[in-house]
Amino acid sequence: MNYFIEGIQGAGKSTLVERLSKHFPDHRVYREGDYNPVELAWCAYMTEQQYESVLAKYDSLRKEIIANTHTENERQVVTYTRIITDVPGFHKDLEQYEIYNNRMDRSQFEETILKRYARWNGDDSIFECSLFQNIVENQILFYEMTDGEIVDFYLRLKAVIKSRDFRILYLEVGDIAETLQVIRKERVDDKGNEMWFPLMVGFLEESPYGKHHGLRGFEGLVKHLEHRKSVEQRILTEVFPEQAVILKSKSYDLDADCLINGIPFGGFLRD
């Protein structure tokens, strides 16, 4: 069995992934930024020519880049955020080779995601926000797709993985505004300065969708995440009704909630 852990920011995905990994030590865990067979968040996705150019430009980091490179057919995938360096401009430079934020046109983006899922042949894996978060954010904020268009894409995605055994554990946040207030206070530097919140708001405000809908500041972020949550729950209902398990964020009984959906964890909370 494979598990996809999803939910909006602050829902508790990382905590659930950690708990599952301890309960299923034989499962491979894929967190954001890892090399992932189905998703490319925080990874540079480069042609051979682009890759050789990067190696030449950052020769001092050649060994680290090669160590974080994974070859996929005609592409090189570099987990560049795993490279710790103070070389000026390196991470910003590699960011341009990600597939998100309008760096690919919509058809090429969708084809890339669908091909990766079609090639996926592993089992016993735990994926942190690999099915919804980054893909849906990109579809809403940069391609400005309608809710129906997004659901249609996931119907296509389901068709290519219909033979896989998986469950989607979706952490449902009740009060999004309250959750955001909590995590903006948690995600600070050692001096107490907010780190995550300004970046997230700036990301939203500069996106095509954010600009066209006048989404600004805290209220704009809440409105966007309420919309994203509704889209993701529609996907669960219309596309993955047999695979979906909806858990109340930070107040779920995993044994009881999952057993109802055919996942007998067996004393999970007591382990």
Side-chain angles (χ1 to χ4, degrees):
M1 183 61 70
N2 302 283
Y3 302 97
F4 290 92
I5 313 305
E6 295 292 340
I8 67 165
Q9 289 85 337
K13 298 185 293 295
S14 297
T15 299
L16 179 53
V17 167
E18 188 64 25
R19 295 173 70 189
L20 285 176
S21 69
K22 291 178 179 178
H23 193 72
F24 298 119
D26 58 333
H27 279 50
R28 173 74 181 269
V29 178
Y30 296 97
R31 295 178 173 85
E32 279 198 293
D34 290 345
Y35 175 66
N36 187 322
V38 298
E39 219 256 348
L40 286 166
W42 308 105
C43 293
Y45 188 63
M46 295 183 283
T47 65
E48 187 64 33
Q49 183 178 4
Q50 291 168 335
Y51 182 67
E52 291 298 331
S53 175
V54 165
L55 287 177
K57 183 174 181 179
Y58 297 101
D59 188 60
S60 64
L61 296 173
R62 178 178 290 266
K63 289 177 65 174
E64 291 90 338
I65 295 171
I66 292 173
N68 283 276
T69 297
H70 307 265
T71 301
E72 291 186 0
N73 298 323
E74 73 285 358
R75 294 277 185 164
Q76 302 293 337
V77 181
V78 181
T79 53
Y80 72 94
T81 60
R82 298 300 188 210
I83 300 173
I84 307 302
T85 179
D86 56 2
V87 172
F90 173 74
H91 293 104
K92 192 66 176 177
D93 203 359
L94 271 288
E95 183 183 2
Q96 69 178 302
Y97 298 108
E98 289 196 27
I99 69 171
Y100 300 96
N101 307 356
N102 259 352
R103 296 185 181 96
M104 278 186 172
D105 64 38
R106 174 179 161 182
S107 61
Q108 186 182 11
F109 173 79
E110 292 182 348
E111 181 183 4
T112 298
I113 296 296
L114 292 174
K115 282 185 175 179
R116 291 179 68 77
Y117 269 94
R119 289 197 301 263
W120 171 44
N121 60 5
D123 274 321
D124 296 334
S125 297
I126 299 169
F127 296 95
E128 180 184 18
C129 51
S130 296
L131 184 63
F132 288 172
Q133 178 162 294
N134 298 294
I135 297 172
V136 173
E137 287 274 12
N138 197 44
Q139 291 174 322
I140 293 174
L141 297 181
F142 289 90
Y143 299 138
E144 300 186 86
M145 292 167 61
T146 66
D147 297 1
E149 288 174 329
I150 296 172
V151 170
D152 287 344
F153 168 79
Y154 277 93
L155 286 169
R156 293 163 59 201
L157 191 153
K158 184 181 182 181
V160 305
I161 58 172
K162 59 184 178 182
S163 63
R164 312 304 305 171
D165 290 325
F166 65 94
R167 293 291 187 274
I168 305 168
L169 305 187
Y170 190 88
L171 293 163
E172 180 182 50
V173 172
D175 190 328
I176 292 177
E178 180 180 341
T179 297
L180 287 180
Q181 292 287 20
V182 170
I183 62 174
R184 68 184 292 185
K185 293 177 182 177
E186 293 176 342
R187 300 178 184 183
V188 297
D189 64 15
D190 55 5
K191 293 183 174 66
N193 299 311
E194 292 186 355
M195 300 295 291
W196 174 82
F197 182 72
L199 291 175
M200 190 66 187
V201 168
F203 178 74
L204 173 66
E205 292 179 350
E206 291 303 312
S207 71
Y209 183 89
K211 289 179 179 178
H212 293 164
H213 291 80
L215 299 180
R216 302 191 62 80
F218 182 80
E219 292 75 15
L221 184 56
V222 171
K223 187 174 182 179
H224 161 60
L225 291 178
E226 286 175 343
H227 174 217
R228 195 188 109 193
K229 173 185 169 183
S230 72
V231 173
E232 292 175 348
Q233 294 195 325
R234 180 175 169 185
I235 296 168
L236 293 174
T237 301
E238 298 184 23
V239 183
F240 299 110
E242 297 177 355
Q243 293 83 15
V245 180
I246 297 180
L247 306 170
K248 296 296 182 183
S249 173
K250 303 176 183 178
S251 62
Y252 51 84
D253 180 336
L254 200 54
D255 287 328
D257 293 338
C258 291
L259 186 58
I260 292 172
N261 291 270
I263 311 176
F265 281 103
F268 179 91
L269 296 178
R270 295 187 295 277
D271 289 351

